[in-house]
Amino acid sequence: MVSGGRRLAVIGGALALCALAGGFLGIGIDWLAGPKGPPPVVIAESPPPIAMPGAVPVAIPTPAPAPRPALTEVPCPAGVPDGPAPRCHSLRVPSDWQRSDSPPLDLFVMVLPALNGAPAADPVVVLAGGPGQGGSDDPRGTAAMLAPMRATRDVILVDQRGTGRSAPSLRCPALDPLRYWFGGVTAEDALACLDPPRRAGYRLEDFDSGQSAADLRALRGALGVERWNVIATSYGGVLAQALLRADGAAVRSLVLNSPAAVDATWLDLDRLTAIRQAYRRMVEDCAAQPDCARAFPQLGQAVERLSAALERRSLELRLRHPGTGRESGLQLSWPMLATVLALRLGSADGMVVMPALLDRLDRAVMRAGGVGSEGRGGWRMRRRCRWWCRRPSGACWTSSPMG
């Protein structure tokens, strides 16, 4: 019962994992590690691959007779990309496409109009990963990456059921599956997080790839699109494969970026165990190399200290854009750092910067008050401004206090 409860907690928490905080943190991680200083740890061996069972096709529900879902215009959030003003909609769909009387879901949809003002008939729809990311989580970043496509085509961002601004949301800020590393997640935590949608009459088993594929089929019809181009990243690749089975004739082209197989097990205990093993291997490899051991003597305890401190209060950082010189604030939370750890520990090259990164963050948190001290609005650096730069980019981070 204990192991089963913990497994439920891990899966439930993972479904509520907040969107990856790639943005500033993902770009700045190498800058924070610094250009020089102690030599990086050399990884002796890459983490072992995770064995996966045979693929199981995703069942695509057959829609029950019901009126075609219609789009409703809603206000767009702040932080939209440059160019023509986006159009934002809500699409009401049944939570179970086989039961027309099932509780409804409201899906958030953002359309970024083509830059040329005369879009082609076949737009681009973006399927985000996670699972748990909303398509509208980072519209500016998406627009920048897909600028060549957006030049002549509308780009459609969808918050899949349970994610982003779609309602109800399965996000639970109190839960982070990587807390399982240190025994910080219990079955009670997961159940408490998932109780609200259950009490509202929703079945958690309806938040799956098959139902989401049916949502996309309905969205295409509501938009009046005959065919579209699909770009899918990570878990989005699983959803894209389900969409091909549900509505393949309407998919003009498909790009799978870092796709996951339909039988991927990255949300269960095996993946979390592999991440922790990779972290321990990195610590052991560093300890076995004299230069690395001297530079980072507390590496083995850094993650435990950071997780405890950042779960209490986020660490406020200042970021300076290398091109414009504009400064922005970033509140570094434990889920954000845990996400970076999971991604970086998945490859040998990704581990190289981790000792320096963890050491600097560990020192910064300790200087800001450690686990026991609380600052207003988050941990704050209490020392003179110091820049970490990486050439030739000239990109910098600063640890000056927030204004």
Side-chain angles (χ1 to χ4, degrees):
M1 291 297 292
V2 174
S3 61
R6 291 201 169 189
R7 184 180 182 89
L8 173 62
V10 172
I11 295 175
L15 290 174
L17 184 62
C18 58
L20 295 182
F24 284 133
L25 188 59
I27 296 173
I29 187 172
D30 291 330
W31 309 338
L32 184 58
K36 296 181 181 180
V41 60
V42 177
I43 307 304
E45 183 181 355
S46 297
I50 300 174
M52 296 188 294
V56 178
V58 177
I60 309 298
T62 301
R68 174 181 292 184
L71 290 172
T72 302
E73 290 191 18
V74 297
C76 288
V80 298
D82 296 334
R87 303 185 299 271
C88 294
H89 309 277
S90 178
L91 179 70
R92 175 155 289 194
V93 298
S95 54
D96 182 354
W97 279 97
Q98 293 179 315
R99 295 187 302 124
S100 59
D101 61 343
S102 60
L105 303 173
D106 292 311
L107 307 182
F108 180 80
V109 181
M110 178 184 290
V111 179
L112 306 180
L115 297 176
N116 68 353
D122 51 310
V124 175
V125 62
V126 179
L127 306 184
Q133 287 180 274
S136 69
D137 284 351
D138 184 19
R140 285 182 174 175
T142 302
M145 288 186 292
L146 302 183
M149 298 181 186
R150 192 187 175 200
T152 57
R153 287 178 169 83
D154 291 347
V155 174
I156 304 167
L157 308 179
V158 185
D159 287 357
Q160 301 159 28
R161 55 173 57 201
T163 74
R165 294 174 174 82
S166 293
S169 173
L170 293 186
R171 285 186 175 181
C172 183
L175 270 186
D176 170 18
L178 296 182
R179 284 171 54 198
Y180 184 83
W181 282 8
F182 313 108
V185 171
T186 67
E188 289 74 18
D189 292 332
L191 291 174
C193 204
L194 298 174
D195 269 350
R198 281 177 169 164
R199 287 198 302 268
Y202 294 98
R203 301 187 310 172
L204 297 179
E205 56 266 35
D206 288 336
F207 292 82
D208 65 5
S209 301
Q211 298 281 0
S212 289
D215 294 342
L216 291 170
R217 179 174 54 195
L219 172 62
R220 183 183 63 79
L223 289 170
V225 172
E226 183 177 351
R227 301 180 74 199
W228 55 11
N229 305 280
V230 179
I231 296 181
T233 297
S234 190
Y235 161 75
V238 175
L239 178 54
Q241 294 172 66
L243 179 61
L244 288 177
R245 289 188 289 274
D247 198 29
V251 177
R252 174 182 177 271
S253 66
L254 172 62
V255 176
L256 296 178
N257 172 35
S258 306
V262 294
D263 57 348
T265 60
W266 74 99
L267 283 185
D268 66 8
L269 182 59
D270 291 342
R271 175 170 171 78
L272 299 180
T273 300
I275 292 172
R276 187 171 187 177
Q277 289 175 343
Y279 168 70
R280 288 176 172 172
R281 181 171 298 166
M282 179 191 71
V283 172
E284 293 169 359
D285 287 345
C286 181
Q289 299 169 51
D291 289 342
C292 189
R294 282 193 297 270
F296 312 117
Q298 303 299 320
L299 182 62
Q301 294 78 42
V303 169
E304 284 88 343
R305 285 194 296 267
L306 285 168
S307 65
L310 294 178
E311 280 197 335
R312 289 175 60 87
R313 290 287 180 180
S314 60
L315 178 65
E316 296 189 8
L317 301 174
R318 296 293 297 179
L319 296 142
R320 180 183 177 187
H321 193 283
T324 65
R326 184 176 62 184
E327 288 193 1
S328 301
L330 172 69
Q331 290 199 355
L332 177 64
S333 63
W334 166 242
M336 293 170 65
L337 180 57
T339 295
V340 173
L341 283 170
L343 293 174
R344 287 282 176 164
L345 293 174
S347 66
D349 290 343
M351 292 187 198
V352 171
V353 301
M354 292 309 299
L357 173 72
L358 292 173
D359 180 73
R360 289 192 172 180
L361 289 176
D362 189 24
R363 292 172 185 270
V365 168
M366 291 301 102
R367 280 193 296 268
V371 176
S373 175
E374 295 184 3
R376 187 178 180 185
W379 304 109
R380 294 169 183 259
M381 301 294 195
R382 298 187 182 94
R383 66 187 190 88
R384 297 181 63 185
C385 176
R386 176 181 177 185
W387 294 93
W388 289 303
C389 299
R390 179 172 182 251
R391 297 293 184 258
S393 69
C396 300
W397 286 54
T398 179
S399 57
S400 59
M402 298 286 287

